[in-house]
Amino acid sequence: MASDLALALVLSVAGLASAGLVGLALVALLRRRSWSYLLVALALLTLLARTAVAVGSMTGTVGTTTHHTLEHLLDVAMAGLVIAAVVTARSVRRSVASRERADVGPGTGGGGRGGD
């Protein structure tokens, strides 16, 4: 009985913390409006989904095998979303840097001073 109460407490804290992180990620997404922020928000959403799966397992609505499988799938989804966010952010950064190099060519006044 005490272990059920402890598990319920841990899942409650995990759910609140996950919801808070997802909320912060959504605020950041609304401010930045980029693919990488969307992918990070989705990755953090998998934490909340893991908590929901654990609650389902604790209440008996999700079987042990299904619980185990769903948690592994959510782990894979989180890792994939984080990797995709990093790749997306790096590719955007590279494309911006290459455009900036193209803009600062001979005769374009590159270097900051121009024709002062």
Side-chain angles (χ1 to χ4, degrees):
M1 197 60 138
S3 64
D4 287 345
L5 182 61
L7 181 59
L9 181 64
V10 167
L11 290 177
S12 297
V13 171
L16 290 172
S18 298
L21 286 173
V22 170
L24 289 173
L26 291 175
V27 168
L29 172 62
L30 289 173
R31 294 185 78 189
R32 297 294 181 159
R33 297 185 189 270
S34 73
W35 281 105
S36 58
Y37 279 78
L38 172 63
L39 293 168
V40 168
L42 291 172
L44 291 172
L45 191 61
T46 64
L47 290 175
L48 192 56
R50 280 183 58 111
T51 303
V53 168
V55 168
S57 179
M58 186 178 126
T59 60
T61 56
V62 175
T64 305
T65 304
T66 304
H67 167 259
H68 188 75
T69 304
L70 285 174
E71 285 202 336
H72 282 299
L73 288 173
L74 288 167
D75 289 342
V76 170
M78 181 191 290
L81 289 164
V82 169
I83 290 168
V86 171
V87 169
T88 301
R90 288 180 58 87
S91 67
V92 168
R93 185 174 293 154
R94 283 185 187 151
S95 67
V96 168
S98 65
R99 271 186 269 161
E100 287 174 353
R101 280 192 301 270
D103 289 344
V104 183
T108 61
R113 296 216 163 170
D116 290 296

